[in-house]
Amino acid sequence: MAKSALLIGEKSDIGVTIKTYLKKEGYVVTGTTSSTLDLSSKESVDNFLLKNNKKFNSIIFVAATNTPKKFLNLKDKDFDYSYDVNFKSFVCILKSLISKMPTNSNSSIIIISSLFSSFGRDKRFLYSSSKHFLNGAMKNLAIELGTYRIRVNSIAPGFIDTKMTRNNNSNNSLSKIIKKIPAGRLGKPKDIAEVVMFLLSSKSSYITGQELVVDGGLTAGGFWGD
């Protein structure tokens, strides 16, 4: 029987690539976009859960919003939107679906996090703090869901060549960053998708509660400056 995966955020550059890899491995993929699942809307989340009340072998969370803005300029609506999209709605979805996940197979929850789950950066308060929330959730879920044979891990991409990365960093800034990456380049979405597939496989059956950093060696050199 084919395995099923819920991919939240299938239209992002990383999400599209993950979906391609999943299908190659024979997964039946239920993907979401901002039009089929608005993570900023409780009504949309509730409606999605009503329509997708089924078992998934794996749940992969890719969706995120990241609009750089100074902390002192943030409004209440900015906090609500970012935390709903990047964290709160995903936790609500998990709470509803976890009890239906198969517990006698290699079930897995994977969160696409960020280097900003461990580091900060100017104008990234909301993005960074929400990724910190996700990382804490991942560790605690790994402890509690281990009893049910459900593994929970996160992947922290470095600077991946995506539309979000290029929208939020000038060419000059990216050039400076690339010079600090031992691998000598920006990451590619496939670099993340291949780690996702490893974490879904039986080859990683003893890995849970971990954040895998995929950054080309950037953080091996410590903190970078803008």
Side-chain angles (χ1 to χ4, degrees), residues 21 110 112 154-156 189-201 204 212-214:
Y21 274 69
I110 300 174
I112 304 301
S154 66
I155 299 171
K190 74 172 186 176
D191 294 321
I192 306 306
E194 288 171 353
V195 178
V196 168
M197 299 314 298
F198 167 69
L199 288 175
L200 291 178
S201 75
S204 64
L212 277 67
V213 176
V214 185

Side-chain angles (χ1 to χ4, degrees), residues 92-145:
C92 291
I93 291 170
L94 280 186
K95 197 169 188 300
S96 175
L97 296 180
I98 280 174
S99 62
K100 303 176 182 67
M101 294 183 77
T103 58
N104 59 349
S105 64
N106 188 34
S107 294
S108 187
I109 296 168
I110 300 174
I111 298 166
I112 304 301
S113 182
S114 168
L115 292 185
F116 297 115
S117 67
S118 300
F119 298 93
R121 191 182 181 193
D122 185 42
K123 299 181 182 178
R124 302 312 198 278
F125 179 88
L126 292 177
Y127 187 68
S128 179
S129 58
S130 62
K131 294 299 185 179
H132 275 72
F133 293 160
L134 281 175
N135 207 35
M138 175 272 291
K139 292 179 182 296
N140 280 274
L141 287 169
I143 293 168
E144 295 194 26
L145 300 183

Side-chain angles (χ1 to χ4, degrees), residues 63-187:
T65 180
N66 179 14
T67 303
K69 195 172 185 180
K70 285 285 190 182
F71 173 72
L72 292 178
N73 294 332
L74 293 171
K75 308 297 184 185
D76 287 348
K77 64 181 181 180
D78 297 323
F79 284 88
D80 291 340
Y81 181 77
S82 291
Y83 290 154
D84 282 345
V85 172
N86 289 0
F87 176 73
K88 185 178 177 181
S89 292
F90 173 60
V91 173
C92 291
I93 291 170
L94 280 186
K95 197 169 188 300
S96 175
L97 296 180
I98 280 174
S99 62
K100 303 176 182 67
M101 294 183 77
T103 58
N104 59 349
S105 64
N106 188 34
S107 294
S108 187
I109 296 168
I110 300 174
I111 298 166
I112 304 301
S113 182
S114 168
L115 292 185
F116 297 115
S117 67
S118 300
F119 298 93
R121 191 182 181 193
D122 185 42
K123 299 181 182 178
R124 302 312 198 278
F125 179 88
L126 292 177
Y127 187 68
S128 179
S129 58
S130 62
K131 294 299 185 179
H132 275 72
F133 293 160
L134 281 175
N135 207 35
M138 175 272 291
K139 292 179 182 296
N140 280 274
L141 287 169
I143 293 168
E144 295 194 26
L145 300 183
T147 303
Y148 304 100
R149 305 287 179 88
I150 299 172
R151 296 185 297 110
V152 188
N153 293 288
S154 66
I155 299 171
F159 287 87
I160 308 300
D161 196 355
T162 63
K163 288 187 287 291
M164 178 184 285
T165 295
R166 293 195 174 275
N167 287 339
N168 289 338
N169 298 276
S170 67
N171 289 334
N172 182 55
S173 179
L174 286 176
S175 294
K176 292 179 180 178
I177 289 168
I178 291 171
K179 289 179 181 178
K180 298 180 181 180
I181 300 175
R185 63 174 175 85
L186 296 177

